[in-house]
């Protein structure tokens, strides 16, 4: 059976992982240059930073899996909280570890990929899908593919857009598009601010708990082993959804300058107003706030069309996306011997 998986983020990789070592012929089609999707890492000027997902909070089973595959790095310093009045306080103890890797969170995706025997086509943006008899035809700008079963894992709005244009004469199509479009998302501008000096604080990160501040998350990449050379600081400042949406198209210089000013105020540390270099992650569809109607999604399986991703479960977490992808892989395996 030929299976196409659109998207090599954590969910798509989870599905491919479950299908490894079987006679399923799996192809991952990924629009970016590499795998991992929103579990993303960049490198610049000797620093490594996770400008999308910051860390994985695995349950014991996933933690064991990550340790079996490679060497994740724990973040030992705590996460504290702040509110609209900028009162900073210790947070609650975490019951799960916070894991990334010395060379960044994208490593997790690379390690899962290394276990898979799927073919990976990067820089392949799927432009359209169509049902042709018992097969799915999938087209990128460059190529046309054919699959017996197709899994869509891009964020819900991208998946809905693909389905809206699909040549697929099924009563369920419109209902599916509606159910997937209904998933609400938060937009996040993630500003990366570098300083040629150390910042001494008793916490790794601050999270805004009353949703009343322009900053929703602030963290120090130097607390992750191997990410930032000694004597430097690299801050990740994730802006609140309204702020991010309003200023989404503004140049990096403007949004980074504003974020640096807000961070300097929050920490009462005026030198933070002037980073020596910056970067910006623009996440239009950063985090789903709810899940899709899975009863509607399941009805597409009659036509060998499947979905996976954090938006399917309504939990914007790497662990949730991975588990959802693996569940999809298991379902595909169960159905492998049945006519699709
Ligand atoms: C700023 C930010 C901070 C976050 N912080 C955390 C955190 O600290 N901890 C945590 O656990 N989670 C966090 N998350 C959430 C976490 O990153 C996601 O829940 C998880 O990575 C989702 O994985 P996914 O595979 O479902 O989707 P994605 O990672 O979005 O993967 C979908 C893939 O599909 C590809 N794609 C899209 N359209 C097409 C197309 N047409 N053709 C081919 N490929 C396509 C994309 O390039 C992408 O690789 C954060 C996310 C963001 C944005």
């Amino acid at each position: 059976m030929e299976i196409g998986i659109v998207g090599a983020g954590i969910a798509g990789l989870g599905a491919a992982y479950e299908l490894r070592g079987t006679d399923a012929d799996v192809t991952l089609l990924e629009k970016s240059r590499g795998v991992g999707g929103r579990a993303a890492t960049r490198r610049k000027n000797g620093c490594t930073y996770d400008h999308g997902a910051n860390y994985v909070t695995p349950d014991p089973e996933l933690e064991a899996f990550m340790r079996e595959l490679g060497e994740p790095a724990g973040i030992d310093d705590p996460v504290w909280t702040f509110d609209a009045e900028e009162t900073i306080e210790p947070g609650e103890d975490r019951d799960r570890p916070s894991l990334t890797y010395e060379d960044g969170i994208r490593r997790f995706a690379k390690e899962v990929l290394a276990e898979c025997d799927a073919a990976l086509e990067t820089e392949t943006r799927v432009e359209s899908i169509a049902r042709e008899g018992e097969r799915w035809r999938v087209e990128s700008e460059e190529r046309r593919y054919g699959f017996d079963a197709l899994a869509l894992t891009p964020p819900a709005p991208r998946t809905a857009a693909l389905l809206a244009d699909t040549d697929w004469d099924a009563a369920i199509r419109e209902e599916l598009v509606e159910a997937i479009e209904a998933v609400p998302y938060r937009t996040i501008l993630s500003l990366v601010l570098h300083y040629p000096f150390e910042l001494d604080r008793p916490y790794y990160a601050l999270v805004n708990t009353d949703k009343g501040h322009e900053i929703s998350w602030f963290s120090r990449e130097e607390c992750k082993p191997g990410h930032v050379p000694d004597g430097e600081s690299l801050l990740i400042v994730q802006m609140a959804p309204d702020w991010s949406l309003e200023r989404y198209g503004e140049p990096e210089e403007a949004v980074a300058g504003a974020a640096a000013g807000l961070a300097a105020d929050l920490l009462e540390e005026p030198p933070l107003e002037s980073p020596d270099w910056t970067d910006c992650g623009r996440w239009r569809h950063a985090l789903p706030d709810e899940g899709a109607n899975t009863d509607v999604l399941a009805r597409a399986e009659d036509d060998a069309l499947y979905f996976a991703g954090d938006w399917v479960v309504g939990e914007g977490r790497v662990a949730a996306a991975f588990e959802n992808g693996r569940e999809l892989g298991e379902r595909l395996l169960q159905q492998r011997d049945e006519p699709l």
Side-chain angles (χ1 to χ4, degrees):
M1 179 165 80
E2 288 178 284
I3 300 175
I5 301 176
V6 180
I10 297 295
L13 289 167
Y17 177 81
E18 280 306 311
L19 293 161
R20 77 197 184 288
T22 70
D23 57 4
D25 182 359
V26 180
T27 305
L28 284 155
L29 302 173
E30 168 55 50
K31 76 172 165 62
S32 305
R33 267 182 300 160
V35 296
R38 279 168 281 157
T41 302
R42 282 184 188 154
R43 258 170 271 290
K44 187 169 166 176
N45 297 338
C47 294
T48 298
Y49 46 97
D50 301 323
H51 61 293
N54 261 251
Y55 51 75
V56 187
T57 41
D59 63 15
E61 195 189 328
L62 180 57
E63 184 183 353
F65 176 82
M66 290 173 77
R67 293 195 186 284
E68 202 182 296
L69 253 49
E71 288 182 30
I75 308 166
D76 295 332
D77 306 77
V79 176
W80 284 22
T81 65
F82 67 102
D83 60 14
E85 318 299 18
E86 306 200 325
T87 307
I88 295 176
E89 290 179 330
E92 285 170 15
D93 286 344
R94 290 169 286 177
D95 54 357
R96 289 183 179 191
S98 305
L99 299 182
T100 177
Y101 296 81
E102 289 207 8
D103 57 352
I105 197 166
R106 196 192 295 276
R107 162 68 48 195
F108 180 46
K110 288 183 183 167
E111 284 180 350
V112 175
L113 178 70
E115 297 292 307
C116 300
D117 40 26
L120 170 68
E121 306 250 341
T122 53
E123 297 184 82
T124 302
R125 178 192 291 269
V126 170
E127 309 262 351
S128 71
I129 62 175
R131 189 79 171 136
E132 277 184 350
E134 295 291 296
R135 302 259 294 171
W136 282 102
R137 192 186 75 216
V138 173
E139 281 184 354
S140 69
E141 207 171 83
E142 315 267 308
R143 264 193 72 179
R144 177 182 282 206
Y145 305 81
F147 300 110
D148 300 305
L150 182 64
L152 302 180
T153 76
R158 305 269 180 247
T159 294
L162 269 178
L163 277 176
D165 291 337
T166 302
D167 184 3
W168 175 31
D169 186 20
I172 181 74
R173 192 179 64 87
E174 271 181 36
E175 215 181 317
L176 270 176
V177 173
E178 242 172 65
I180 298 171
E181 271 177 352
V183 176
Y185 269 82
R186 265 177 271 170
T187 294
I188 297 180
L189 280 177
S190 180
L191 279 318
V192 181
L193 311 174
H194 179 269
Y195 303 89
F197 54 82
E198 274 179 13
L199 186 66
D200 188 20
R201 287 292 187 278
Y203 46 78
Y204 149 64
L206 295 175
V207 60
N208 177 216
T209 40
D210 65 0
K211 297 190 164 62
H213 202 279
E214 288 104 324
I215 294 175
S216 59
W217 169 267
F218 164 99
S219 55
R220 303 167 54 224
E221 283 289 311
E222 59 269 26
C223 296
K224 297 178 179 172
H227 280 225
V228 181
D230 288 347
E232 303 177 19
S233 310
L234 189 70
L235 307 183
I236 301 284
V237 183
Q238 291 174 8
M239 304 308 295
D242 288 348
W243 197 101
S244 299
L245 205 52
E246 205 173 296
R247 307 194 62 168
Y248 194 78
E250 290 188 21
E252 179 182 316
E253 203 185 330
V255 282
L262 289 162
D265 288 348
L266 175 62
L267 270 72
E268 297 182 5
E269 196 80 50
L272 293 184
E273 278 177 25
S274 311
D276 62 348
W277 59 263
T278 66
D279 196 359
C280 177
R282 293 175 201 264
W283 302 103
R284 170 75 72 187
H285 305 117
L287 298 170
D289 272 328
E290 281 170 31
N293 181 333
T294 44
D295 292 338
V296 176
L297 299 188
R299 284 166 54 201
E301 296 185 8
D302 290 345
D303 273 349
L305 182 63
Y306 300 81
F307 305 93
D310 58 353
W311 60 272
V312 173
V313 274
E315 201 188 336
R317 309 306 290 172
V318 170
F322 189 56
E323 193 182 325
N324 188 252
R326 288 187 73 173
E327 280 167 14
L328 167 61
E330 276 169 27
R331 259 198 337 281
L332 278 160
L333 271 183
Q334 279 163 10
Q335 294 178 8
R336 186 177 44 155
D337 299 326
E338 297 167 18
L340 284 163

